[in-house]
């Protein structure tokens, strides 16, 4: 029992001090409920979830933090339901049904009714892949949801 409490504290503490983009900064997550599964090494936040760090702000209905199996570091973050991401450095807003952030690769994949807004411009499609390292993005459409861009002269 004491070992489980120590492990629980360690996971919660590592969530507080581990950043989704850098080990030097922190991430703050607020939700209505938190469920921790020690065996699966996951923390599930549900209900009006809001997470932020110095680079990103994320809102969703549910957010799952997946820890690495060999270390107390975040491996992946999965946000689902009414996902909204604001990239603070770019001033862009990303909306979708599901967002998956792979921390080691610094890649965010957003799927389902994806919409990107930046400087009054909009791009929509079915799947967006953002490479934070190279600062590049790829939007993909589908038969029912082709890529559409609305570009405004600023």
């Amino acid at each position: 029992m004491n070992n489980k409490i120590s492990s629980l504290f360690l996971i919660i503490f590592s969530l507080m001090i581990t950043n989704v983009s850098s080990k030097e900064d922190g991430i703050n997550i607020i939700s209505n409920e938190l469920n921790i599964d020690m065996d699966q090494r996951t923390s599930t936040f549900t209900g009006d979830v809001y997470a932020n760090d110095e680079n990103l702000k994320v809102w969703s209905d549910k957010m799952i933090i997946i820890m690495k199996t060999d270390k107390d570091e975040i491996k992946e973050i999965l946000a689902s339901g009414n996902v909204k991401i604001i990239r603070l450095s770019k001033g862009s807003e990303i909306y979708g049904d599901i967002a998956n952030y792979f921390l080691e690769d610094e890649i965010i994949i957003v799927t389902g009714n994806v919409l990107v807004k930046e400087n009054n411009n909009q791009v929509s499609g079915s799947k967006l892949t953002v490479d934070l390292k190279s600062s590049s993005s790829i939007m993909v459409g589908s038969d029912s949801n082709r890529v559409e861009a609305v570009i405004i002269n600023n």
Side-chain angles (χ1 to χ4, degrees):
M1 178 70 173
N2 196 18
N3 189 23
K4 285 187 177 186
I5 292 172
S6 297
S7 296
L8 174 64
F9 176 76
L10 187 60
I11 286 177
I12 291 173
F13 183 72
S14 66
L15 283 173
M16 291 189 300
I17 64 171
T18 305
N19 183 312
V20 292
S21 61
S22 161
K23 295 177 186 155
E24 300 168 0
D25 303 314
I27 180 172
N28 183 42
I29 303 172
I30 301 169
S31 69
N32 293 339
E33 185 176 319
L34 169 60
N35 182 359
I36 298 172
D37 186 329
M38 299 296 293
D39 295 331
Q40 297 295 317
R41 297 188 51 80
T42 61
S43 297
T44 304
F45 296 84
T46 53
D48 294 321
V49 182
Y50 171 70
N52 71 302
D53 70 4
E54 67 180 16
N55 300 311
L56 298 171
K57 292 182 177 185
V58 181
W59 291 263
S60 65
D61 296 334
K62 182 178 181 179
M63 184 176 292
I64 300 171
I65 308 296
I66 302 166
M67 303 296 285
K68 292 181 179 180
T69 55
D70 55 343
K71 297 182 193 177
D72 284 325
E73 293 179 7
I74 298 174
K75 173 183 174 186
E76 182 178 336
I77 298 175
L78 176 63
S80 60
N82 300 304
V83 176
K84 176 182 177 182
I85 301 169
I86 295 180
R87 292 180 63 195
L88 300 175
S89 64
K90 300 287 183 184
S92 60
E93 298 178 18
I94 303 169
Y95 300 86
D97 296 333
I98 296 172
N100 206 342
Y101 184 8
F102 302 94
L103 276 72
E104 201 163 299
D105 299 325
E106 294 186 46
I107 302 248
I108 300 173
I109 298 174
V110 182
T111 57
N113 302 306
V114 181
L115 174 65
V116 178
K117 295 180 180 181
E118 187 174 327
N119 298 327
N120 296 323
N121 301 310
Q122 295 185 32
V123 180
S124 61
S126 297
K127 179 182 176 183
L128 172 69
T129 302
V130 179
D131 186 330
L132 298 172
K133 285 182 189 175
S134 67
S135 197
S136 64
S137 303
I138 299 172
M139 179 73 79
V140 177
S142 66
D143 289 340
S144 62
N145 190 13
R146 297 180 65 199
V147 175
E148 180 179 353
V150 177
I151 301 169
I152 307 295
N153 290 332
N154 291 323

